């Protein structure tokens, strides 16, 4: 889903079907830089449904600058917490302006014990003279319940590693000669260089398989072991056959180094003036989400230009897809449900489409974007970006575009036309928790189905004439069978005098809807286009 509207209002509307549902949340909220990056409405802070006529950009001269930012962020983080699954994880991009206040706020909402860590993302290089040259931002990570988060995250590189090993096994069968196999292996890596990341370094082969030559025999600080290493084994440091010793000595004691030599894990350089290295085998590789990430920030702008043309300048500071792929790929499985409440240019949606293409996953997303003042670019930029990405990359997928609509209460529900009330039911029906309801159009009674394939039906001729009788029940069940849907059929109407059976369940309008909305008033999400 791509949803246009205030993210707090939208998240409140999502509660009926998506409470405790999202596996991964990524948000890129305003950094509060001053200028035109953050608009604050005090009226909306006190009432999320208020008209934000008082919204103004927060400047660096505003004495309440940080308070306004906290007032803006706090209710949104609480709403996100309610939508997260118990095992869910949130990543929040931020810079050093609000880093400290964000972590204090997140410690309060998520609890300090659920803080997973802080990532430093180095996205640029700056050679301008300064006291401290700032080349990085941060990504703060919290769990809803850290005890339910796996101890180790698999990354997309783990999937790539397994695919590479499968390819290597095929090469081994087809090419017994090691030298010829090495040539084919390097050609395979070159052909797939863009998608391999760090794994492209595993371009060497021996009888045990692919490996990279790693510089990790030296001790990282003074006080390492001091001895000589030759092709025959460990020798005296002064031996003529010894290779150069690392400045701080070796990491391993002599017996461990000798074992590495005997096992063929040491790489000996051409000259004795050089330091030996170690073989890191591909089969032993374990991906990890590191606390320092190097990803070029310009990649975000390059992606938008690739989709919209080289002259596109319609969005400042878009995040690179590679960053989102890394975070979501590590913290969420192939079936993860992902939320981005500050969708911006739609990078998160684009990244999830690419992840699904790479590993055959079925990740789904909800992107929320209000736009900037009068520029409501959820439809013109976010949705358009995803359409172009799907077309350019030949992806077999799609999304629904929605926007916030009328406010609902008991009277408003009873006055809705059939099409509108069908949309409300598809958003609120309890059997669609986490997965949502798939809308069905063109039928007399059936309006949707849940993930189990059970039919959702509606009999609506207004608040007076919408009794669910035997004829309606039989017709709805027959229609469900014609569509290949299962029973029990959940039939919505105002009254029903028949007892429920294994084939149908009665849902009363408006009580069933109001019960799922939790409140007497709620925002309606209107489906605009698919």
């Amino acid at each position: 889903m791509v949803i246009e509207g205030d993210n707090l209002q939208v998240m409140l509307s999502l509660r009926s079907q998506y409470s405790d549902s999202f596996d991964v949340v990524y948000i890129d909220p305003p950094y509060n830089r001053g200028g035109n990056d953050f608009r604050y409405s005090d009226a909306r802070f006190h009432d999320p449904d208020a008209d934000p006529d008082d919204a103004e950009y927060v400047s660096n001269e505003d004495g309440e600058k940080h308070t306004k930012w906290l007032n803006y962020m706090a209710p949104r983080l609480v709403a996100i917490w309610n939508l997260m699954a118990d095992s869910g994880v949130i990543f929040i991009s931020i810079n050093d302006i609000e880093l400290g206040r964000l972590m204090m706020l997140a410690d309060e909402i998520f609890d300090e014990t659920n803080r997973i860590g802080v990532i430093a993302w180095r996205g640029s290089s700056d050679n301008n003279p300064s006291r401290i040259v700032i080349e990085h931002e941060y990504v703060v990570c919290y769990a809803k319940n850290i005890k339910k988060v796996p101890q180790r995250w698999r990354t997309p590189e783990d999937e790539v590693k397994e695919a590479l090993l499968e390819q290597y096994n095929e090469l081994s069968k087809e090419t017994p000669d090691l030298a010829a196999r090495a040539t084919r292996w390097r050609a395979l890596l070159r052909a797939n260089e863009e998608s391999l990341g760090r794994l492209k370094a595993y371009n060497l082969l021996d009888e045990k398989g692919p490996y990279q030559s790693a510089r990790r025999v030296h001790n990282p600080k003074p006080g390492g072991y001091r001895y000589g290493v030759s092709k025959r084994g460990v020798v005296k440091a002064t031996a003529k056959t010894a290779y150069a010793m690392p400045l701080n000595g070796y990491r391993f004691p002599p017996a461990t180094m000798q074992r590495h030599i005997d096992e063929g894990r040491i790489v000996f350089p051409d000259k004795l003036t050089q330091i030996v290295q170690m073989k890191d085998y591909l089969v032993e590789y374990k991906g990890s989400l590191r606390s320092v990430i190097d990803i070029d920030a310009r990649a975000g702008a390059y992606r938008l230009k690739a989709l919209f043309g080289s002259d596109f300048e319609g969005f400042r500071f878009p995040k690179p897809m590679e960053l989102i792929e890394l975070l979501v790929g590590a913290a969420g499985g192939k079936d993860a449900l992902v939320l981005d409440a500050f969708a911006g240019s739609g990078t998160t949606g684009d990244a999830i489409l690419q992840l699904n293409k790479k590993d055959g996953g079925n990740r789904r997303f909800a992107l929320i974007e209000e736009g900037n003042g009068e520029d409501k670019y959820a439809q013109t930029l976010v949705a358009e970006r995803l359409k172009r990405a799907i077309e350019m990359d030949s992806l077999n997928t799609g999304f629904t575009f929605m926007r916030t609509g009328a406010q609902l209460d008991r009277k408003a529900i009873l006055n809705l036309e059939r099409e509108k009330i069908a949309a409300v039911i598809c958003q609120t029906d309890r059997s669609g928790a986490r997965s949502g309801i798939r809308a069905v159009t063109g039928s007399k009674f059936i309006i949707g189905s849940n993930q189990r394939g059970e039919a959702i039906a509606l009999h609506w001729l207004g608040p007076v004439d919408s009794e669910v009788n035997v004829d309606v029940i039989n017709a709805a069940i027959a229609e469900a069978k014609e569509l290949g849907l299962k029973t029990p059929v959940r039939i919505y109407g105002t009254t029903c005098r028949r007892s429920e059976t294994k084939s149908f369940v009665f849902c009363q309008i408006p009580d069933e809807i109001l019960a799922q909305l939790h409140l007497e008033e709620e925002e309606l999400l209107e489906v605009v286009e698919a």
Side-chain angles (χ1 to χ4, degrees):
M1 297 185 293
V2 175
I3 307 170
E4 178 188 282
D6 175 76
N7 52 17
L8 183 56
Q9 292 177 328
V10 172
M11 286 190 285
L12 294 177
S13 300
L14 292 175
R15 289 179 308 174
S16 58
Q17 286 189 341
Y18 293 99
S19 288
D20 307 316
S21 292
F22 287 95
D23 302 296
V24 184
V25 179
Y26 171 78
I27 59 172
D28 184 16
Y31 283 10
N32 209 9
R33 294 185 175 98
N36 295 337
D37 78 319
F38 172 44
R39 296 173 77 242
Y40 174 76
S41 166
D42 197 57
R44 184 167 277 182
F45 167 68
H46 292 289
D47 177 8
D49 294 319
D51 192 340
D53 291 336
D54 65 333
E56 294 181 351
Y57 285 108
V58 178
S59 70
N60 287 328
E61 289 72 35
D62 191 330
E64 297 182 339
K65 168 183 176 179
H66 301 299
T67 300
K68 289 179 177 179
W69 188 85
L70 288 169
N71 284 347
Y72 176 81
M73 289 299 300
R76 285 160 175 80
L77 289 180
V78 170
I80 288 171
W81 186 92
N82 285 315
L83 292 174
M84 287 170 62
D86 284 346
S87 58
V89 172
I90 181 172
F91 296 97
I92 309 171
S93 280
I94 201 70
N95 70 0
D96 53 6
I97 296 173
E98 297 292 358
L99 174 65
R101 277 168 283 271
L102 170 64
M103 294 187 67
M104 292 177 68
L105 180 62
D107 281 349
E108 181 176 339
I109 294 171
F110 292 93
D111 197 290
E112 184 179 357
T113 60
N114 289 315
R115 187 197 302 166
I116 294 178
V118 180
I119 296 169
W121 165 43
R122 184 176 183 269
S124 63
S125 298
D126 189 346
N127 295 320
N128 294 318
S130 179
R131 297 185 187 94
I132 298 176
V133 178
I134 305 299
E135 299 179 325
H136 67 281
E137 297 179 9
Y138 303 94
V139 181
V140 177
C141 181
Y142 283 78
K144 188 171 185 177
N145 184 347
I146 200 166
K147 294 179 181 178
K148 297 190 176 182
V149 177
Q151 290 288 334
R152 177 182 174 265
W153 282 340
R154 286 175 59 85
T155 69
E157 287 182 338
D158 288 294
E159 303 282 349
V160 175
K161 180 197 82 170
E162 292 174 3
L164 281 175
L165 289 175
E166 289 181 10
Q167 291 285 326
Y168 178 73
N169 290 336
E170 292 297 319
L171 282 180
S172 298
K173 295 175 184 177
E174 298 170 3
T175 315
D177 181 71
L178 185 61
R181 191 190 315 160
T183 299
R184 292 189 62 187
W185 175 249
R186 287 191 290 271
L188 174 68
L189 296 183
R190 285 195 299 271
N192 295 277
E193 183 175 2
E194 291 185 2
S195 60
L196 294 181
R198 288 180 290 178
L199 299 183
K200 63 186 178 185
Y202 289 82
N203 58 357
L204 303 171
L205 289 185
D206 66 12
E207 293 79 3
K208 296 180 181 179
Y211 70 90
Q212 68 169 344
S213 186
R215 300 175 182 270
R216 60 181 186 87
V217 298
H218 64 281
N219 209 52
K221 57 184 179 180
Y225 297 95
R226 308 192 74 81
Y227 51 80
V229 173
S230 72
K231 291 184 178 180
R232 293 186 293 108
V234 175
V235 295
K236 292 181 179 180
T238 56
K240 293 183 178 180
T241 58
Y243 287 89
M245 186 187 304
L247 179 63
N248 294 325
Y250 290 103
R251 293 177 57 192
F252 317 112
T256 303
M257 177 62 80
Q258 185 63 53
R259 176 165 54 82
H260 287 322
I261 295 172
D262 295 340
E263 292 175 351
R265 296 205 64 144
I266 298 300
V267 179
F268 297 101
D270 295 332
K271 299 178 181 178
L272 292 176
T273 55
Q274 297 174 318
I275 299 171
V276 299
Q277 298 184 28
M278 282 198 67
K279 295 180 181 179
D280 283 344
Y281 288 98
L282 178 60
V283 71
E284 298 169 346
Y285 177 84
K286 292 182 179 179
S288 58
L289 184 57
R290 299 181 180 275
S291 63
V292 179
I293 298 173
D294 277 291
I295 296 176
D296 191 343
R298 294 174 296 180
Y302 294 157
R303 174 63 173 176
L304 288 177
K305 290 179 182 295
L307 293 170
F308 289 92
S310 58
D311 295 331
F312 181 80
E313 298 289 347
F315 192 87
R316 298 179 66 196
F317 312 123
K319 290 295 186 290
M321 278 199 313
E322 295 80 358
L323 176 64
I324 315 301
E325 286 184 41
L326 181 61
L327 301 177
V328 173
K334 290 185 178 181
D335 295 316
L337 190 59
V338 183
L339 172 67
D340 186 346
F342 296 82
S345 67
T347 301
T348 297
D350 200 355
I352 291 171
L353 296 180
Q354 298 303 319
L355 272 177
N356 286 342
K357 179 182 178 182
K358 289 177 180 178
D359 63 14
N362 188 37
R363 301 171 186 85
R364 293 170 298 136
F365 58 75
L367 310 182
I368 307 170
E369 179 55 53
E370 185 177 22
N372 194 351
E374 296 181 359
D375 184 9
K376 298 184 181 298
Y377 48 75
Q379 187 168 13
T380 58
L381 177 56
V382 180
E384 184 62 27
R385 171 182 184 161
L386 297 181
K387 287 180 182 178
R388 295 186 182 210
I390 290 169
E391 181 178 357
M392 186 173 79
D393 298 328
S394 302
L395 305 177
N396 184 25
T397 187
F399 62 93
T400 301
F401 183 87
M402 313 172 83
R403 63 167 58 101
T404 52
Q407 193 175 66
L408 292 181
D409 56 19
R410 179 179 295 272
K411 182 178 179 181
I413 292 173
L414 291 174
N415 288 328
L416 289 175
E417 297 177 357
R418 186 180 190 279
E419 181 180 342
K420 293 288 187 181
I421 206 165
V424 175
I425 291 169
C426 286
Q427 290 176 43
T428 60
D429 185 82
R430 67 180 67 184
S431 73
R434 182 173 167 86
S435 297
I437 299 296
R438 182 182 65 86
V440 174
T441 59
S443 298
K444 183 177 181 180
F445 294 105
I446 305 303
I447 60 171
S449 64
N450 58 30
Q451 61 180 340
R452 297 184 296 275
E454 297 165 346
I456 315 294
L458 170 64
H459 176 54
W460 188 248
L461 300 173
V464 177
D465 301 317
S466 299
E467 178 182 349
V468 176
N469 55 32
V470 174
D471 292 337
V472 171
I473 294 169
N474 290 336
I477 293 173
E479 198 172 79
K481 291 181 179 179
E482 289 178 4
L483 294 171
L485 298 175
K486 301 176 182 177
T487 57
V489 181
R490 295 174 58 80
I491 306 177
Y492 282 78
T494 52
T495 58
C496 180
R497 301 179 186 180
R498 309 297 298 185
S499 299
E500 295 179 353
T501 68
K502 293 182 179 180
S503 298
F504 92 98
V505 174
F506 172 64
C507 302
Q508 188 174 41
I509 300 172
D511 300 47
E512 179 76 15
I513 295 171
L514 288 172
Q516 295 307 306
L517 289 174
H518 304 296
L519 297 174
E520 283 298 310
E521 294 184 352
E522 191 64 274
E523 292 289 325
L524 166 66
L525 296 180
E526 297 180 326
V527 179
V528 178
E529 64 181 59

